[in-house]
PDB file of all heavy atoms in Angstrom:
ATOM      1  N   THR G 258       3.069  -3.326  -3.340  1.00 89.00           N
ATOM      2  CA  THR G 258       4.394  -3.329  -3.954  1.00 89.00           C
ATOM      3  C   THR G 258       4.248  -3.095  -5.453  1.00 89.00           C
ATOM      4  O   THR G 258       3.156  -3.221  -6.021  1.00 89.00           O
ATOM      5  CB  THR G 258       5.097  -4.685  -3.752  1.00 89.00           C
ATOM      6  OG1 THR G 258       4.361  -5.706  -4.451  1.00 89.00           O
ATOM      7  CG2 THR G 258       5.183  -5.055  -2.280  1.00 89.00           C
ATOM      8  N   VAL G 259       5.360  -2.782  -6.105  1.00 94.00           N
ATOM      9  CA  VAL G 259       5.307  -2.566  -7.552  1.00 94.00           C
ATOM     10  C   VAL G 259       4.975  -3.864  -8.275  1.00 94.00           C
ATOM     11  O   VAL G 259       4.344  -3.854  -9.339  1.00 94.00           O
ATOM     12  CB  VAL G 259       6.634  -1.959  -8.069  1.00 94.00           C
ATOM     13  CG1 VAL G 259       7.777  -2.957  -7.968  1.00 94.00           C
ATOM     14  CG2 VAL G 259       6.471  -1.459  -9.497  1.00 94.00           C
ATOM     15  N   GLU G 260       5.369  -5.003  -7.692  1.00 94.00           N
ATOM     16  CA  GLU G 260       5.034  -6.282  -8.317  1.00 94.00           C
ATOM     17  C   GLU G 260       3.528  -6.508  -8.324  1.00 94.00           C
ATOM     18  O   GLU G 260       2.955  -6.954  -9.324  1.00 94.00           O
ATOM     19  CB  GLU G 260       5.747  -7.439  -7.597  1.00 94.00           C
ATOM     20  CG  GLU G 260       7.244  -7.483  -7.807  1.00 94.00           C
ATOM     21  CD  GLU G 260       7.998  -6.529  -6.893  1.00 94.00           C
ATOM     22  OE1 GLU G 260       7.379  -5.977  -5.948  1.00 94.00           O
ATOM     23  OE2 GLU G 260       9.207  -6.322  -7.117  1.00 94.00           O
ATOM     24  N   ARG G 261       2.868  -6.201  -7.204  1.00 91.00           N
ATOM     25  CA  ARG G 261       1.410  -6.348  -7.151  1.00 91.00           C
ATOM     26  C   ARG G 261       0.740  -5.346  -8.088  1.00 91.00           C
ATOM     27  O   ARG G 261      -0.259  -5.667  -8.742  1.00 91.00           O
ATOM     28  CB  ARG G 261       0.911  -6.128  -5.725  1.00 91.00           C
ATOM     29  CG  ARG G 261       1.370  -7.194  -4.750  1.00 91.00           C
ATOM     30  CD  ARG G 261       0.765  -6.935  -3.382  1.00 91.00           C
ATOM     31  NE  ARG G 261       1.403  -7.750  -2.360  1.00 91.00           N
ATOM     32  CZ  ARG G 261       1.124  -7.672  -1.079  1.00 91.00           C
ATOM     33  NH1 ARG G 261       0.222  -6.794  -0.659  1.00 91.00           N
ATOM     34  NH2 ARG G 261       1.738  -8.442  -0.209  1.00 91.00           N
ATOM     35  N   TYR G 262       1.279  -4.155  -8.147  1.00 95.00           N
ATOM     36  CA  TYR G 262       0.756  -3.126  -9.045  1.00 95.00           C
ATOM     37  C   TYR G 262       0.820  -3.600 -10.492  1.00 95.00           C
ATOM     38  O   TYR G 262      -0.164  -3.523 -11.239  1.00 95.00           O
ATOM     39  CB  TYR G 262       1.594  -1.863  -8.861  1.00 95.00           C
ATOM     40  CG  TYR G 262       1.246  -0.707  -9.772  1.00 95.00           C
ATOM     41  CD1 TYR G 262       0.251   0.197  -9.427  1.00 95.00           C
ATOM     42  CD2 TYR G 262       1.943  -0.498 -10.957  1.00 95.00           C
ATOM     43  CE1 TYR G 262      -0.057   1.274 -10.243  1.00 95.00           C
ATOM     44  CE2 TYR G 262       1.648   0.569 -11.789  1.00 95.00           C
ATOM     45  CZ  TYR G 262       0.643   1.451 -11.423  1.00 95.00           C
ATOM     46  OH  TYR G 262       0.347   2.518 -12.245  1.00 95.00           O
ATOM     47  N   HIS G 263       1.954  -4.111 -10.886  1.00 96.00           N
ATOM     48  CA  HIS G 263       2.145  -4.575 -12.263  1.00 96.00           C
ATOM     49  C   HIS G 263       1.261  -5.777 -12.567  1.00 96.00           C
ATOM     50  O   HIS G 263       0.596  -5.841 -13.604  1.00 96.00           O
ATOM     51  CB  HIS G 263       3.619  -4.927 -12.475  1.00 96.00           C
ATOM     52  CG  HIS G 263       3.946  -5.365 -13.865  1.00 96.00           C
ATOM     53  ND1 HIS G 263       4.296  -6.661 -14.173  1.00 96.00           N
ATOM     54  CD2 HIS G 263       3.954  -4.685 -15.047  1.00 96.00           C
ATOM     55  CE1 HIS G 263       4.535  -6.758 -15.464  1.00 96.00           C
ATOM     56  NE2 HIS G 263       4.332  -5.577 -16.021  1.00 96.00           N
ATOM     57  N   ARG G 264       1.233  -6.716 -11.631  1.00 93.00           N
ATOM     58  CA  ARG G 264       0.424  -7.926 -11.821  1.00 93.00           C
ATOM     59  C   ARG G 264      -1.059  -7.576 -11.952  1.00 93.00           C
ATOM     60  O   ARG G 264      -1.776  -8.147 -12.786  1.00 93.00           O
ATOM     61  CB  ARG G 264       0.638  -8.887 -10.650  1.00 93.00           C
ATOM     62  CG  ARG G 264      -0.175 -10.169 -10.732  1.00 93.00           C
ATOM     63  CD  ARG G 264       0.214 -11.001 -11.917  1.00 93.00           C
ATOM     64  NE  ARG G 264      -0.531 -12.250 -11.975  1.00 93.00           N
ATOM     65  CZ  ARG G 264      -0.456 -13.111 -12.975  1.00 93.00           C
ATOM     66  NH1 ARG G 264       0.351 -12.864 -13.985  1.00 93.00           N
ATOM     67  NH2 ARG G 264      -1.161 -14.218 -12.961  1.00 93.00           N
ATOM     68  N   ALA G 265      -1.535  -6.645 -11.159  1.00 92.00           N
ATOM     69  CA  ALA G 265      -2.941  -6.243 -11.232  1.00 92.00           C
ATOM     70  C   ALA G 265      -3.277  -5.669 -12.602  1.00 92.00           C
ATOM     71  O   ALA G 265      -4.358  -5.919 -13.153  1.00 92.00           O
ATOM     72  CB  ALA G 265      -3.254  -5.218 -10.147  1.00 92.00           C
ATOM     73  N   HIS G 266      -2.351  -4.925 -13.188  1.00 94.00           N
ATOM     74  CA  HIS G 266      -2.594  -4.372 -14.519  1.00 94.00           C
ATOM     75  C   HIS G 266      -2.552  -5.451 -15.595  1.00 94.00           C
ATOM     76  O   HIS G 266      -3.315  -5.396 -16.565  1.00 94.00           O
ATOM     77  CB  HIS G 266      -1.577  -3.269 -14.825  1.00 94.00           C
ATOM     78  CG  HIS G 266      -1.908  -1.963 -14.168  1.00 94.00           C
ATOM     79  ND1 HIS G 266      -1.555  -1.679 -12.871  1.00 94.00           N
ATOM     80  CD2 HIS G 266      -2.589  -0.872 -14.622  1.00 94.00           C
ATOM     81  CE1 HIS G 266      -1.988  -0.471 -12.556  1.00 94.00           C
ATOM     82  NE2 HIS G 266      -2.615   0.037 -13.595  1.00 94.00           N
ATOM     83  N   LEU G 267      -1.687  -6.446 -15.429  1.00 92.00           N
ATOM     84  CA  LEU G 267      -1.675  -7.551 -16.383  1.00 92.00           C
ATOM     85  C   LEU G 267      -2.999  -8.304 -16.356  1.00 92.00           C
ATOM     86  O   LEU G 267      -3.529  -8.711 -17.400  1.00 92.00           O
ATOM     87  CB  LEU G 267      -0.532  -8.520 -16.076  1.00 92.00           C
ATOM     88  CG  LEU G 267       0.900  -8.025 -16.296  1.00 92.00           C
ATOM     89  CD1 LEU G 267       1.868  -9.189 -16.179  1.00 92.00           C
ATOM     90  CD2 LEU G 267       1.054  -7.351 -17.653  1.00 92.00           C
ATOM     91  N   MET G 268      -3.549  -8.489 -15.169  1.00 89.00           N
ATOM     92  CA  MET G 268      -4.825  -9.179 -15.059  1.00 89.00           C
ATOM     93  C   MET G 268      -5.950  -8.322 -15.626  1.00 89.00           C
ATOM     94  O   MET G 268      -6.908  -8.837 -16.215  1.00 89.00           O
ATOM     95  CB  MET G 268      -5.091  -9.561 -13.608  1.00 89.00           C
ATOM     96  CG  MET G 268      -4.102 -10.564 -13.071  1.00 89.00           C
ATOM     97  SD  MET G 268      -4.556 -11.252 -11.463  1.00 89.00           S
ATOM     98  CE  MET G 268      -5.941 -12.292 -11.923  1.00 89.00           C
ATOM     99  N   LEU G 269      -5.844  -7.004 -15.464  1.00 89.00           N
ATOM    100  CA  LEU G 269      -6.827  -6.110 -16.067  1.00 89.00           C
ATOM    101  C   LEU G 269      -6.782  -6.229 -17.586  1.00 89.00           C
ATOM    102  O   LEU G 269      -7.817  -6.353 -18.247  1.00 89.00           O
ATOM    103  CB  LEU G 269      -6.539  -4.665 -15.639  1.00 89.00           C
ATOM    104  CG  LEU G 269      -7.387  -3.569 -16.288  1.00 89.00           C
ATOM    105  CD1 LEU G 269      -8.853  -3.726 -15.903  1.00 89.00           C
ATOM    106  CD2 LEU G 269      -6.874  -2.188 -15.881  1.00 89.00           C
ATOM    107  N   ALA G 270      -5.570  -6.229 -18.150  1.00 88.00           N
ATOM    108  CA  ALA G 270      -5.432  -6.360 -19.601  1.00 88.00           C
ATOM    109  C   ALA G 270      -5.911  -7.731 -20.080  1.00 88.00           C
ATOM    110  O   ALA G 270      -6.581  -7.847 -21.107  1.00 88.00           O
ATOM    111  CB  ALA G 270      -3.977  -6.130 -20.008  1.00 88.00           C
ATOM    112  N   ALA G 271      -5.577  -8.784 -19.330  1.00 84.00           N
ATOM    113  CA  ALA G 271      -5.979 -10.134 -19.724  1.00 84.00           C
ATOM    114  C   ALA G 271      -7.488 -10.298 -19.695  1.00 84.00           C
ATOM    115  O   ALA G 271      -8.070 -11.014 -20.509  1.00 84.00           O
ATOM    116  CB  ALA G 271      -5.321 -11.161 -18.804  1.00 84.00           C
ATOM    117  N   GLY G 272      -8.146  -9.604 -18.771  1.00 80.00           N
ATOM    118  CA  GLY G 272      -9.595  -9.711 -18.670  1.00 80.00           C
ATOM    119  C   GLY G 272     -10.329  -8.912 -19.717  1.00 80.00           C
ATOM    120  O   GLY G 272     -11.493  -9.186 -20.023  1.00 80.00           O
ATOM    121  N   GLY G 273      -9.654  -7.906 -20.292  1.00 73.00           N
ATOM    122  CA  GLY G 273     -10.301  -7.079 -21.307  1.00 73.00           C
ATOM    123  C   GLY G 273     -11.588  -6.456 -20.786  1.00 73.00           C
ATOM    124  O   GLY G 273     -11.689  -6.104 -19.604  1.00 73.00           O
ATOM    125  N   PRO G 274     -12.582  -6.316 -21.625  1.00 71.00           N
ATOM    126  CA  PRO G 274     -13.853  -5.715 -21.190  1.00 71.00           C
ATOM    127  C   PRO G 274     -14.544  -6.491 -20.078  1.00 71.00           C
ATOM    128  O   PRO G 274     -15.434  -5.972 -19.414  1.00 71.00           O
ATOM    129  CB  PRO G 274     -14.695  -5.733 -22.479  1.00 71.00           C
ATOM    130  CG  PRO G 274     -13.696  -5.785 -23.581  1.00 71.00           C
ATOM    131  CD  PRO G 274     -12.564  -6.622 -23.052  1.00 71.00           C
ATOM    132  N   ARG G 275     -14.149  -7.746 -19.872  1.00 71.00           N
ATOM    133  CA  ARG G 275     -14.760  -8.566 -18.816  1.00 71.00           C
ATOM    134  C   ARG G 275     -13.822  -8.699 -17.617  1.00 71.00           C
ATOM    135  O   ARG G 275     -13.884  -9.667 -16.868  1.00 71.00           O
ATOM    136  CB  ARG G 275     -15.102  -9.959 -19.370  1.00 71.00           C
ATOM    137  CG  ARG G 275     -16.140  -9.923 -20.472  1.00 71.00           C
ATOM    138  CD  ARG G 275     -16.374 -11.301 -21.078  1.00 71.00           C
ATOM    139  NE  ARG G 275     -15.143 -11.814 -21.682  1.00 71.00           N
ATOM    140  CZ  ARG G 275     -14.716 -11.462 -22.884  1.00 71.00           C
ATOM    141  NH1 ARG G 275     -15.396 -10.600 -23.609  1.00 71.00           N
ATOM    142  NH2 ARG G 275     -13.602 -11.971 -23.387  1.00 71.00           N
ATOM    143  N   ALA G 276     -12.939  -7.734 -17.427  1.00 76.00           N
ATOM    144  CA  ALA G 276     -11.989  -7.775 -16.317  1.00 76.00           C
ATOM    145  C   ALA G 276     -12.716  -7.776 -14.979  1.00 76.00           C
ATOM    146  O   ALA G 276     -13.866  -7.346 -14.879  1.00 76.00           O
ATOM    147  CB  ALA G 276     -11.041  -6.581 -16.401  1.00 76.00           C
ATOM    148  N   GLY G 277     -12.011  -8.248 -13.935  1.00 77.00           N
ATOM    149  CA  GLY G 277     -12.614  -8.309 -12.602  1.00 77.00           C
ATOM    150  C   GLY G 277     -13.152  -6.965 -12.153  1.00 77.00           C
ATOM    151  O   GLY G 277     -14.201  -6.883 -11.535  1.00 77.00           O
ATOM    152  N   LEU G 278     -12.436  -5.901 -12.471  1.00 81.00           N
ATOM    153  CA  LEU G 278     -12.909  -4.551 -12.191  1.00 81.00           C
ATOM    154  C   LEU G 278     -12.899  -3.794 -13.514  1.00 81.00           C
ATOM    155  O   LEU G 278     -11.878  -3.238 -13.909  1.00 81.00           O
ATOM    156  CB  LEU G 278     -12.017  -3.842 -11.161  1.00 81.00           C
ATOM    157  CG  LEU G 278     -12.461  -2.434 -10.764  1.00 81.00           C
ATOM    158  CD1 LEU G 278     -13.825  -2.479 -10.088  1.00 81.00           C
ATOM    159  CD2 LEU G 278     -11.441  -1.791  -9.847  1.00 81.00           C
ATOM    160  N   PRO G 279     -14.018  -3.783 -14.231  1.00 79.00           N
ATOM    161  CA  PRO G 279     -14.056  -3.140 -15.548  1.00 79.00           C
ATOM    162  C   PRO G 279     -13.657  -1.680 -15.481  1.00 79.00           C
ATOM    163  O   PRO G 279     -13.927  -0.990 -14.494  1.00 79.00           O
ATOM    164  CB  PRO G 279     -15.524  -3.290 -15.966  1.00 79.00           C
ATOM    165  CG  PRO G 279     -16.058  -4.416 -15.135  1.00 79.00           C
ATOM    166  CD  PRO G 279     -15.312  -4.342 -13.844  1.00 79.00           C
ATOM    167  N   VAL G 280     -13.020  -1.209 -16.515  1.00 82.00           N
ATOM    168  CA  VAL G 280     -12.530   0.165 -16.523  1.00 82.00           C
ATOM    169  C   VAL G 280     -13.669   1.168 -16.392  1.00 82.00           C
ATOM    170  O   VAL G 280     -13.487   2.251 -15.829  1.00 82.00           O
ATOM    171  CB  VAL G 280     -11.700   0.429 -17.790  1.00 82.00           C
ATOM    172  CG1 VAL G 280     -12.582   0.415 -19.036  1.00 82.00           C
ATOM    173  CG2 VAL G 280     -10.950   1.747 -17.685  1.00 82.00           C
ATOM    174  N   GLU G 281     -14.863   0.814 -16.870  1.00 84.00           N
ATOM    175  CA  GLU G 281     -15.976   1.754 -16.750  1.00 84.00           C
ATOM    176  C   GLU G 281     -16.433   1.940 -15.305  1.00 84.00           C
ATOM    177  O   GLU G 281     -17.156   2.884 -14.994  1.00 84.00           O
ATOM    178  CB  GLU G 281     -17.156   1.308 -17.617  1.00 84.00           C
ATOM    179  CG  GLU G 281     -17.735  -0.038 -17.281  1.00 84.00           C
ATOM    180  CD  GLU G 281     -17.103  -1.183 -18.056  1.00 84.00           C
ATOM    181  OE1 GLU G 281     -15.997  -0.975 -18.616  1.00 84.00           O
ATOM    182  OE2 GLU G 281     -17.695  -2.271 -18.105  1.00 84.00           O
ATOM    183  N   ARG G 282     -16.007   1.067 -14.404  1.00 89.00           N
ATOM    184  CA  ARG G 282     -16.356   1.206 -12.994  1.00 89.00           C
ATOM    185  C   ARG G 282     -15.277   1.932 -12.201  1.00 89.00           C
ATOM    186  O   ARG G 282     -15.432   2.158 -11.007  1.00 89.00           O
ATOM    187  CB  ARG G 282     -16.610  -0.167 -12.364  1.00 89.00           C
ATOM    188  CG  ARG G 282     -17.822  -0.904 -12.941  1.00 89.00           C
ATOM    189  CD  ARG G 282     -18.291  -1.974 -11.986  1.00 89.00           C
ATOM    190  NE  ARG G 282     -18.795  -1.375 -10.748  1.00 89.00           N
ATOM    191  CZ  ARG G 282     -18.741  -1.978  -9.561  1.00 89.00           C
ATOM    192  NH1 ARG G 282     -18.186  -3.176  -9.448  1.00 89.00           N
ATOM    193  NH2 ARG G 282     -19.228  -1.394  -8.491  1.00 89.00           N
ATOM    194  N   MET G 283     -14.193   2.285 -12.855  1.00 93.00           N
ATOM    195  CA  MET G 283     -13.133   3.002 -12.164  1.00 93.00           C
ATOM    196  C   MET G 283     -13.463   4.487 -12.106  1.00 93.00           C
ATOM    197  O   MET G 283     -14.078   5.030 -13.017  1.00 93.00           O
ATOM    198  CB  MET G 283     -11.802   2.812 -12.896  1.00 93.00           C
ATOM    199  CG  MET G 283     -11.265   1.401 -12.843  1.00 93.00           C
ATOM    200  SD  MET G 283      -9.618   1.306 -13.569  1.00 93.00           S
ATOM    201  CE  MET G 283      -9.396  -0.486 -13.599  1.00 93.00           C
ATOM    202  N   PRO G 284     -13.044   5.167 -11.047  1.00 95.00           N
ATOM    203  CA  PRO G 284     -13.189   6.624 -11.022  1.00 95.00           C
ATOM    204  C   PRO G 284     -12.411   7.220 -12.193  1.00 95.00           C
ATOM    205  O   PRO G 284     -11.412   6.647 -12.637  1.00 95.00           O
ATOM    206  CB  PRO G 284     -12.565   7.022  -9.688  1.00 95.00           C
ATOM    207  CG  PRO G 284     -12.520   5.766  -8.884  1.00 95.00           C
ATOM    208  CD  PRO G 284     -12.384   4.642  -9.840  1.00 95.00           C
ATOM    209  N   ARG G 285     -12.839   8.348 -12.694  1.00 95.00           N
ATOM    210  CA  ARG G 285     -12.149   8.999 -13.818  1.00 95.00           C
ATOM    211  C   ARG G 285     -11.574  10.318 -13.325  1.00 95.00           C
ATOM    212  O   ARG G 285     -12.254  11.341 -13.333  1.00 95.00           O
ATOM    213  CB  ARG G 285     -13.125   9.206 -14.968  1.00 95.00           C
ATOM    214  CG  ARG G 285     -12.483   9.763 -16.246  1.00 95.00           C
ATOM    215  CD  ARG G 285     -11.624   8.738 -16.949  1.00 95.00           C
ATOM    216  NE  ARG G 285     -12.395   7.656 -17.531  1.00 95.00           N
ATOM    217  CZ  ARG G 285     -12.980   7.699 -18.745  1.00 95.00           C
ATOM    218  NH1 ARG G 285     -12.910   8.782 -19.474  1.00 95.00           N
ATOM    219  NH2 ARG G 285     -13.627   6.654 -19.197  1.00 95.00           N
ATOM    220  N   THR G 286     -10.328  10.308 -12.877  1.00 96.00           N
ATOM    221  CA  THR G 286      -9.705  11.512 -12.335  1.00 96.00           C
ATOM    222  C   THR G 286      -8.443  11.916 -13.091  1.00 96.00           C
ATOM    223  O   THR G 286      -7.982  13.041 -12.944  1.00 96.00           O
ATOM    224  CB  THR G 286      -9.355  11.325 -10.847  1.00 96.00           C
ATOM    225  OG1 THR G 286      -8.494  10.188 -10.713  1.00 96.00           O
ATOM    226  CG2 THR G 286     -10.610  11.114 -10.002  1.00 96.00           C
TER     227      THR G 286
END
Side-chain angles (χ1 to χ4, degrees):
T258 65
V259 68
E260 290 82 11
R261 294 183 193 176
Y262 177 86
H263 182 249
R264 179 64 178 174
H266 281 84
L267 292 190
M268 295 190 71
L269 174 64
R275 296 175 299 279
L278 182 63
V280 68
E281 60 269 17
R282 295 200 65 210
M283 292 186 189
R285 185 72 69 85
T286 57

